[in-house]
Amino acid sequence: MAAHAAAEAVPRQDGPVADAAAARDSVVIHVLIVGDPRELGTDSRGSGRWAVPAEVIDIASDGMLTRSRTRILLTGGEGWDQVVTGQEVRTAGKLKQAKPGQIEAGVLAAATPPMRPDSRHKPDTQNKPEAHGNISQGPAQLKIQFASAAEWLRGDAAGLLPGMVTGDTTGVDESLEEAMKTTSTTHLTAVSGANCSLILGGLVLLARSFRLARGVAAIMALGGLAAFVMMVGPDASVLRAAVMGAIGLTALSGGRRGRSLGFLCLAVTGLLILDPSLGISIGFLLSVLATLGIVLLARPIASWAPAWVPSSLASAVAVPLAAQLLCSPVIVALQPQFSSYALLTNIAVAPFVAPVTILGTIAVPLVPLLPWLSLVPIAAAGASAETVAGIARFFAGLPGAAMPWPEGPTGIATMVLWSVVTILMVWLILHPTWAGSAVLSLHRRLVLLMAAGESAIRRRWTAGRPGAR
């Protein structure tokens, strides 16, 4: 992987884009958008600024037109929030070098709105996702239509439902977003491995209900997952989530940790070969750690539950706990605070996440095809989304919901220690007989040790008295 990443880095360091960035040239550039716009804030005039990942198709600098396939980062104002993955645009601006550690060869401060590739004068702000007929532009249009179809819902559901189904968080209220950060439930508003696991699990159950063979059910489930990926947009984060979700479901249903761990290692290697930049992605790291926790710890923790506890309830507690134990050290490195009610919140919202994901996914293709029929699953999914928002707000409002935590290596080390202590405490709580026996045994040993020490002290004191002989 190191050799492969080094080979991938050569065009970023020695290509025409890198040369133009080093010289800080003004360029005209034709690019392919490869990711969603990310808001940077506002400029001095109060206008929004956006960062858009893109791949260079050709670049004109110093009177020369050069073709290249290099990643860059575009920053711009008006119109750049409207571009979508798979769209080709042309713009002009000044190119500068990227910061060390960035995967892009340079950063272009766009001086113009996005323009159509065949025109240097017509802004592309009205060029909607369907304009170029690119298959990757369809998901963006579906997201827009689904968000519009959910606007009639009341409360937090109107913004949260699109976020939980398609990852479109533009309508999520700021106070709700803060509450979800406090309770560590922001993963619900991204297309994550949990979403993909629910889609896979639902399709497997549907196929098995028709008494289809296990292999046929698996093929149908994978085909459905592929359709889901294409529907929400086949970008790197969604593909990563699909792979990790499939591995997580395999780990929970297969019961063979060795095989699931092998799948995870193979998936991580394959994803890094396809995109070495994932190696510096915090989202990828958290996804791998969460899946690793599910593979290694979820089933053992669930098996510790007493016989009278339903297996579904045991799994509902074990899965978020296993994921949180491994992800917490990374989370506190990014945000030095401890979410006191994160586990309780994730357990409480778990029964409502599946209806939102499954019914919302069913509604997405119905919106453009049968809008009147989509109202039913949207209403049901919206009710569950509203409940999720209410639970997040409730736990975020409790005293001590966000506790301060040490920063830097100290915070990471203490969180690792806390994770180890937590798993030991859970084991002791779920094994009261063994814990009681261990406490009694320790008590007996301490009594014997104290008696032996007292006896030794008495002998020494007696031996040291005058006339003791």
Side-chain angles (χ1 to χ4, degrees):
M1 280 311 308
H4 177 65
E8 287 284 319
V10 171
R12 297 200 303 270
Q13 299 172 352
D14 301 328
V17 176
D19 295 338
R24 301 180 69 88
D25 289 341
S26 295
V27 299
V28 176
I29 198 164
H30 176 199
V31 298
L32 174 70
I33 304 300
V34 296
D36 295 332
R38 175 172 55 87
E39 190 172 5
L40 296 176
T42 56
D43 56 19
S44 57
R45 296 174 297 177
S47 302
R49 297 284 298 174
W50 304 84
V52 185
E55 184 179 272
V56 176
I57 297 175
D58 58 59
I59 179 172
S61 176
D62 291 334
M64 296 182 60
L65 181 66
T66 307
R67 290 192 172 274
S68 176
R69 282 291 180 180
T70 309
R71 290 281 295 271
I72 66 166
L73 187 68
L74 294 167
T75 61
E78 180 185 358
W80 287 104
D81 58 328
Q82 301 294 324
V83 296
V84 295
T85 303
Q87 189 175 0
E88 292 186 16
V89 298
R90 186 181 296 276
T91 188
K94 180 166 289 188
L95 194 63
K96 63 180 181 179
Q97 289 180 311
K99 295 179 181 179
Q102 283 188 251
I103 63 173
E104 294 86 8
V107 178
L108 179 73
T112 69
M115 297 182 291
R116 297 172 182 169
D118 56 353
S119 173
R120 298 176 184 267
H121 305 288
K122 296 180 181 180
D124 205 25
T125 55
Q126 301 300 320
N127 186 19
K128 298 301 180 184
E130 65 271 19
H132 295 299
N134 195 310
I135 190 170
S136 60
Q137 294 173 351
Q141 184 67 13
L142 278 176
K143 290 181 180 180
I144 295 172
Q145 292 178 343
F146 182 70
S148 299
E151 287 180 350
W152 63 272
L153 296 173
R154 295 183 179 180
D156 293 319
L160 185 58
L161 180 59
M164 293 183 67
V165 176
T166 64
D168 181 6
T169 59
T170 54
V172 178
D173 184 73
E174 289 186 7
S175 61
L176 176 59
E177 186 177 358
E178 187 63 30
M180 298 184 75
K181 287 181 179 178
T182 302
T183 55
S184 294
T185 52
T186 52
H187 62 90
L188 299 177
T189 57
V191 180
S192 63
N195 296 70
C196 297
S197 296
L198 288 169
I199 297 297
L200 272 175
L203 292 172
V204 169
L205 290 176
L206 179 63
R208 296 294 288 172
S209 66
F210 288 99
R211 300 185 182 278
L212 296 178
R214 188 181 298 272
V216 177
I219 293 174
M220 286 187 58
L222 290 175
L225 180 62
F228 172 75
V229 169
M230 295 302 298
M231 184 177 67
V232 300
D235 56 19
S237 62
V238 176
L239 293 174
R240 178 197 71 209
V243 173
M244 295 304 164
I247 294 172
L249 184 64
T250 302
L252 290 175
S253 59
R256 296 185 178 181
R257 282 186 290 172
R259 178 180 295 181
S260 299
L261 187 60
F263 285 156
L264 176 60
C265 294
L266 181 63
V268 170
T269 304
L271 288 170
L272 288 174
I273 289 175
L274 292 174
D275 187 3
S277 66
L278 291 175
I280 58 172
S281 168
I282 296 297
F284 179 67
L285 175 59
L286 290 173
S287 184
V288 172
L289 288 175
T291 307
L292 182 63
I294 294 172
V295 168
L296 296 180
L297 301 177
R299 288 185 67 85
I301 293 175
S303 67
W304 295 346
W308 54 268
V309 176
S311 59
S312 58
L313 179 59
S315 297
V317 176
V319 170
L321 177 59
Q324 184 178 336
L325 288 174
L326 268 70
C327 291
S328 293
V330 178
I331 294 174
V332 296
L334 300 173
Q335 186 177 3
Q337 70 176 31
F338 179 67
S339 299
S340 307
Y341 307 109
L343 179 60
L344 292 176
T345 308
N346 279 278
I347 293 172
V349 302
F352 304 99
V353 174
V356 173
T357 302
I358 296 175
L359 294 175
T361 303
I362 292 173
V364 171
L366 291 178
V367 168
L369 299 176
L370 299 170
W372 56 272
L373 186 58
S374 67
L375 295 177
V376 177
I378 286 178
S384 295
E386 183 69 23
T387 306
V388 170
I391 293 172
R393 289 186 183 276
F394 170 76
F395 281 103
L398 294 178
M403 304 289 289
W405 198 266
E407 298 183 12
T410 303
I412 296 174
T414 51
M415 183 53 73
V416 170
L417 179 61
W418 174 253
S419 296
V420 173
V421 171
T422 300
I423 197 69
L424 291 176
M425 290 174 60
V426 170
W427 195 91
L428 291 174
I429 292 171
L430 295 177
H431 293 78
T433 303
W434 186 94
S437 301
V439 170
L440 292 176
S441 176
L442 179 61
H443 179 265
R444 288 193 296 268
R445 291 175 182 272
L446 287 175
V447 170
L448 292 175
L449 182 61
M450 292 172 63
E454 183 181 1
S455 177
I457 293 173
R458 283 182 176 178
R459 285 197 301 269
R460 288 189 179 183
W461 183 75
T462 303
R465 292 176 59 188
R469 294 182 180 179

